[in-house]
Amino acid sequence: MTQFRPGRDVYVVGVGLHSFGRFPEQTLSDLARDAVVDALRDSGVPWTAIPVAYFGHVYYHGMSVGETTLAQLGLTGVPIINVENACSSGSTAFWQAYWGITSGVFDMALAFGAEKVPGGPVTVTAENSPARYIGGDHMMAGYALRMTRYMEETGAPASAFAQVTVKARQNASMNPYAHRKDTYSVEDVLNSRLIADPLTLYQCCPTSEGGAAAVLCAGDALDAHGIDRSRAIRIAAAALTSGNYNGRGSDHSAFSPYRTEPAALQAYEMAGIGPEDVDIVQVHDAATIGELQQVEALHIFPYGEAWQATVEGRTALTGDVPVNTDGGLLAMGHPFGATGIRQVHETVTQLRGEAGPRQVENPRVGVAQCSGAGDVTTVHILTR
Amino acid sequence: MTPSCGRRSELHEPLSVDERCLRLNADDGSAGTLLGMRCVECGVTVFGPATFCQSCSSPRLEQIDLATEGTLYSYTIVRVPPSGWPGPVPYVLGEVELPEGPHVLAEVIDCAHDALRVGMPMTLALRPVAMPEVPDSERVVYKWRPA
Ligand SMILES: [Zn+2]
């Protein structure tokens, strides 16, 4: 059901981050504001030139946090929209910013997101839900169910999953913003304590806080705003989908990769490219199995083959399709409001050639995928 | 931690954990049936309540009794439980595929960890569960055990 009609070209002209980690002294607004200031500085555009802003976050920290955060930069009176779309809240804010510009309504937009998170396993249902009696409302148990099944169907060994974490930590060790920068061996990962068999602790993303922001601008407005075209990265596609019944509607596992495929196909169609054209990928790796299944859903590798590609180093920084080049959720954690824009930040940084020691050689096309409860999936494609 | 169970159910009618998903037998509250909604137009069946078909959006749905046996599609041994979990730790969580199509997540009981296998036949089991230190919280909960 293709129902998109992009108009003007849209570019990411500035990206910013607040470090990812635990920041008990800082409020949600602090994390968000720091990322916004960083992104505005990167773009060279002043806050007073921004006509609209979209703020992604999930956990409740009072009403209208987007407004109260940006009020600190000056009361300019522009529309500010708070977005809650589960794990894809940040990437949904980015999607809205894109469509606000390509449709012709705005020349520029700010997308930002941040999260303060409680510790412990994440649940998606209310406190008094019958789910609490059933025992199935458990994100990592959902991933573990998928991992057991994937191992059964593909013959993937446990060490292949551990290699996903090993790679993530290697990438993160070169990323000053990452929450977890220590590197691990396959044995370290497999010997960490079991959370839900066969998932071990180091194969699950940490609970982290952080902030991320991006400034977007219409291609026909770049010059008017004095933006450096050599650092502007084009948004070739921005796709957002909800649950799509495709004959597998009874699949129970959280973040089913079956939901990613429709968004991916939509994004490839919009960008006029195919998976074979993709140079770098950021996917939703809340657990190791997530990365393998999401890159398969994006058709980067055929079904059941991502584990082999990982073992062969094809998804490492030096491989033919590097995946989660900044360390992904496995090393950055998953502050829901920030994650999707953090992926955009990394994609932009890589496509600009500004990633320093973790720079991939000459990437031209990057894909960022994020998915969440409610089968919310975003697939964004950026090109140089 | 073992859920306290027993006395209240002797005094009161047992309550289903979710009557839209599990109907208890009128004469024996320790037995019951999982409920699904089947689309009259396209035949797609879902577990639990639905107003419109997930596949074709038809409002013409009929409630059906789901099979009491299925196969284990996947499983995990949960070592770190979700908040509020009233049962033992670790526990086995199983995803069982029913012949009508739906997958139903529930605890797997009466099965040694090393006996778990993808594809093994499973059968429905109902057990009373109460939330520790919560009055009147006992409910009959559906679980799976090896057939
Ligand atoms: Zn139907």
Side-chain angles (χ1 to χ4, degrees), chain A residues 141-166:
Chain A
Y143 277 108
L145 289 168
R146 280 169 41 187
M147 188 168 165
T148 301
R149 183 74 192 184
Y150 185 92
M151 293 171 89
E152 178 77 15
E153 290 183 358
T154 68
S159 57
F161 298 86
Q163 183 60 36
V164 175
T165 298
V166 170

Side-chain angles (χ1 to χ4, degrees), chain B residues 39 41-43 53 55-58:
Chain B
C39 177
E41 312 246 1
C42 77
C53 174
S55 178
C56 74
S57 293
S58 168

Side-chain angles (χ1 to χ4, degrees), chain B residues 61-123:
Chain B
L61 305 181
E62 57 182 6
Q63 192 172 62
I64 62 166
D65 292 354
L66 295 172
T68 55
E69 301 210 345
T71 57
L72 190 61
Y73 182 84
S74 193
Y75 61 89
T76 179
I77 302 161
V78 179
R79 313 275 174 173
V80 180
S83 72
W85 168 246
V89 177
Y91 67 97
V92 178
L93 181 65
E95 177 175 348
V96 168
E97 183 171 29
L98 296 177
E100 297 88 350
H103 291 202
V104 177
L105 281 181
E107 185 186 5
V108 174
I109 57 174
D110 303 336
C111 186
H113 292 174
D114 59 7
L116 290 160
R117 295 285 181 278
V118 167
M120 69 193 287
M122 305 296 283
T123 191

Side-chain angles (χ1 to χ4, degrees), chain A residues 121 123 127 130 132-138 141 144-145 148-149 152-153 193-197 245 250 252-253 258, chain B residues 17 44 54-55 73-77 79-83 85-86 91 93 95 101-103 105 118 129 131 137 139 142:
Chain A
T123 53
E127 276 301 330
R132 299 301 168 96
Y133 285 87
I134 310 294
D137 178 13
H138 188 311
L145 289 168
T148 301
R149 183 74 192 184
E152 178 77 15
E153 290 183 358
R193 79 187 160 100
L194 283 161
I195 300 297
D197 303 19
Y245 191 89
S250 53
H252 246 288
S253 310
Y258 303 142
Chain B
V17 64
V44 162
Q54 292 270 292
S55 178
Y73 182 84
S74 193
Y75 61 89
T76 179
I77 302 161
R79 313 275 174 173
V80 180
S83 72
W85 168 246
Y91 67 97
L93 181 65
E95 177 175 348
H103 291 202
L105 281 181
V118 167
V129 175
M131 291 295 173
S137 65
R139 299 288 183 273
Y142 53 91

Side-chain angles (χ1 to χ4, degrees), chain A residues 153-195:
Chain A
E153 290 183 358
T154 68
S159 57
F161 298 86
Q163 183 60 36
V164 175
T165 298
V166 170
K167 170 183 68 67
R169 292 305 190 95
Q170 282 168 347
N171 296 352
S173 72
M174 294 175 270
N175 178 3
Y177 294 100
H179 186 180
R180 303 280 194 223
K181 302 186 188 73
D182 311 332
T183 54
Y184 291 138
S185 67
V186 165
E187 291 69 34
D188 292 335
V189 175
L190 293 178
N191 292 334
S192 63
R193 79 187 160 100
L194 283 161
I195 300 297

